[in-house]
Amino acid sequence: MSLVLLYDSDDVAVATTPMRAGEPLTLPGVADTALRDDVPAGHKVALRDLAPGSPVRKYGQVIGRALADIGAGEHVHTHNLGMPQDAAARVAGAAAASVPRLPADLRRTFHGYRRPDGRVATRNYVGVLTTVNCSATVARKIARVTEDDAEGLDGVDGVVALTHGTGCGMADRGEGWDLLRRTLAGYAHNPNIGGLVVIGLGCEVNAVTGLMADLGVAEHVPVSSYTIQELGGTSAAVARGVELVRGMMRDLAGATRTEVGVEELVLGLQCGGSDGWSGLTANPALGVASDLLVAAGATSVLGETPEIYGAEHLLAARATSPETAAALMERIRWWEEYTGRQGTTMDANPSPGNKAGGITTILEKSLGAVAKAGRSPLAAMCHYAEPIPRPGLVFMDTPGYDPVSVTGMVAGGANLICFTTGRGSVFGSRPVPTVKLGTNAELASRMAGDIDLDCSPIVEQGVPVDEMGRRVYDLLLDVASGRRSASEELGLGGEEIVPWQLGAVL
């Protein structure tokens, strides 16, 4: 099958293989015609004639308007499809939320580290947290020196340098300050951190003393802090950090996993390097897995506010309260105003790679992206890096840029990340494992070492989405129980901690 029609009301179908001009366009209920253009895999083909200004539908929703006459069989992309001028024109009907019936044979437990405060970790890391970019190199040196020590210690998954690019040259109050402090405290408080060393330079705005007072780390987590200046320089600071980390690892050694309920999982839902297959395969499969987890009492977190733009009405319609729906829509308005102040628009979001993969407008991207959240009711809305409300499906306001988005989720308490990709991704998220789902077979083969599960059989072999979703669900529980994901095997995740930075650089 070379063309897929997602909804009977759609004006376009998706090519699942490269197609040549002159090939017949044959779909049930669609008038027989021939392709007018060569069409790459993942791209769209018009099923009927469309006049300039006409709305164009995919997923049963408006993804844009025709910029010129589009004939049946014509390639539909950036040259002839643009954003609607009227925002209201893009809103179509929304399906009601639904909760799946849990299969009798569904796994309801995994093996995690139960912390003394009752929370559950999927990994057990020592973190080396920096107050400022100036101490980042020292933190990374400490992590490199001690990382091999963890390999020989049962119950210790590693050492991670929790660095960032700011902490000074900024105001010590306001939204940017609050975001940074909340993010750093969130990482320190994540259940996957079993011990913590905090390192500053000594003269930064985000001083060690102030940060330590606000961290709020659980009592059972050992924490030490110092500054490079007080110890006398880089070499002494590295030596002190290595000593502290090794001591914490010895204390953590021997920690054992126990059987716990899936309700202890807080899953971050992420996509990056999306393509025309994302909304057909990996995203809906992840949506099924997310629905199963939520129905079993767990928590799933959807983010990337710029990448639900055009699909926000679908989520708002599933909100469990008017307040939650209103909070979501308020953030959409904030992003419209924010991007306008920066001299851009929300439709600037699709990247060149997205467009090469067949995605034309932000509306199309968002409609595919929101499939990651399945059909569960939207239980809550939270701001960036805030503690994630539990249980249920939660929306967190994050940018669409993958490292910044996942950083907010980990700071909020996510202990597992699932990341779908069609163009390819080398993302990791230590101290939290990332599971990567490939949307198409070519990508899954070309980047096999980075992909944990190929979801393309949904289209290529006719595997039901629900069945693939069960495979995703089981894989997530395996990784939560200690199976190393592809990104963990490759040692990824130490450079992708990127707090959302707002405000002036002074």
Side-chain angles (χ1 to χ4, degrees):
M1 180 172 57
S2 295
L3 285 172
V4 173
L5 177 64
L6 301 180
Y7 283 76
D8 290 341
S9 61
D10 285 354
D11 299 303
V12 295
V14 179
T16 60
T17 60
M19 302 183 70
R20 305 289 292 180
E23 288 188 44
L25 193 164
T26 54
L27 284 170
V30 177
D32 288 347
T33 187
L35 290 178
R36 301 189 183 193
D37 312 294
D38 293 345
V39 179
H43 285 238
K44 298 174 291 297
V45 177
L47 301 179
R48 57 187 61 88
D49 294 340
L50 299 165
S54 299
V56 179
R57 291 176 175 82
K58 179 185 175 186
Y59 301 111
Q61 302 285 326
V62 174
I63 62 168
R65 63 183 176 91
L67 299 178
D69 282 312
I70 300 176
E74 191 173 336
H75 180 206
V76 177
H77 200 30
T78 53
H79 61 289
N80 56 13
L81 179 66
M83 286 282 283
Q85 294 175 327
D86 180 5
R90 70 177 187 249
V91 178
S98 62
V99 178
R101 179 178 298 176
L102 294 180
D105 62 344
L106 186 73
R107 294 165 59 187
R108 302 291 292 272
T109 63
F110 70 100
H111 287 83
Y113 298 104
R114 175 74 73 176
R115 300 302 193 190
D117 62 1
R119 297 181 303 151
V120 172
T122 60
R123 296 293 185 269
N124 199 18
Y125 269 88
V126 174
V128 185
L129 179 69
T130 60
T131 63
V132 66
N133 178 256
C134 306
S135 53
T137 298
V138 165
R140 293 191 184 105
K141 284 179 177 290
I142 293 167
R144 281 197 295 270
V145 170
T146 57
E147 181 68 23
D148 289 343
D149 298 338
E151 293 293 331
L153 295 176
D154 291 337
V156 180
D157 291 291
V159 181
V160 59
L162 304 173
T163 65
H164 56 97
T166 183
C168 202
M170 63 186 302
D172 62 357
R173 61 183 60 84
E175 190 173 19
W177 173 261
D178 292 341
L179 278 176
L180 176 62
R181 293 292 283 259
R182 192 162 71 226
T183 302
L184 299 182
Y187 265 78
H189 197 253
N190 189 285
N192 284 13
I193 293 294
L196 187 69
V197 177
V198 181
I199 305 174
L201 175 61
C203 55
E204 62 271 20
V205 173
N206 186 35
V208 167
T209 52
L211 179 63
M212 291 298 293
D214 293 341
L215 276 185
V217 177
E219 291 183 359
H220 67 272
V221 178
V223 182
S224 293
S225 65
Y226 60 89
T227 70
I228 298 168
Q229 290 172 354
E230 71 181 313
L231 284 185
T234 298
S235 296
V238 171
R240 178 59 173 156
V242 168
E243 177 187 11
L244 290 169
V245 168
R246 284 175 172 165
M248 290 179 184
M249 288 196 296
R250 287 193 295 269
D251 292 340
L252 293 177
T256 57
R257 293 178 179 270
T258 59
E259 189 173 24
V260 297
V262 295
E263 65 271 11
E264 303 294 349
L265 285 177
V266 180
L267 174 68
L269 309 170
Q270 189 72 24
C271 57
S274 300
D275 68 351
W277 288 68
S278 296
L280 310 181
T281 59
N283 286 358
L286 178 53
V288 169
S290 174
D291 282 344
L292 292 173
L293 285 168
V294 168
T299 305
S300 282
V301 189
L302 181 68
E304 301 179 283
T305 313
E307 297 184 11
I308 67 159
Y309 187 69
E312 68 272 10
H313 62 288
L314 303 179
L315 288 171
R318 289 156 45 186
T320 56
S321 72
E323 292 76 17
T324 297
L328 176 65
M329 300 308 288
E330 185 278 327
R331 294 316 292 172
I332 293 292
R333 290 191 293 273
W334 183 92
W335 274 96
E336 289 177 326
E337 294 170 0
Y338 175 65
T339 52
R341 290 196 302 270
Q342 306 304 315
T344 186
T345 67
M346 297 290 273
D347 195 42
N349 174 280
S351 69
N354 294 151
K355 292 177 179 179
I359 294 173
T360 306
T361 67
I362 185 56
L363 307 185
E364 180 181 10
K365 184 176 181 179
S366 295
L367 289 164
V370 80
K372 302 192 300 294
R375 300 177 180 177
S376 295
L378 180 63
M381 156 87 197
C382 66
H383 290 280
Y384 186 84
E386 285 184 343
I388 296 165
R390 299 173 60 184
L393 174 64
V394 176
F395 187 84
M396 176 182 281
D397 178 32
T398 75
Y401 183 40
D402 303 324
V404 180
S405 179
V406 174
T407 294
M409 293 178 180
V410 173
N415 54 13
L416 185 62
I417 301 294
C418 194
F419 190 118
T420 69
T421 184
R423 303 294 292 174
S425 171
V426 293
F427 185 83
S429 54
R430 288 186 290 173
V432 174
T434 289
V435 175
K436 288 204 283 290
L437 310 181
T439 71
N440 64 83
E442 188 276 331
L443 173 277
S445 174
R446 175 167 43 86
M447 295 184 65
D450 290 277
I451 302 299
D452 295 286
L453 180 65
D454 174 14
C455 294
S456 69
I458 290 173
V459 168
E460 297 200 343
Q461 301 171 22
V463 173
V465 172
D466 285 351
E467 181 180 329
M468 186 62 70
R470 281 290 299 271
R471 296 181 194 177
V472 174
Y473 178 93
D474 287 333
L475 174 60
L476 291 173
L477 266 57
D478 287 345
V479 172
S481 298
R483 171 177 166 179
R484 288 161 67 93
S485 68
S487 67
E488 290 181 295
E489 291 288 356
L490 291 165
L492 303 175
E495 303 297 327
E496 292 87 345
I497 303 163
V498 186
W500 187 6
Q501 188 172 354
L502 292 175
V505 177
L506 303 176

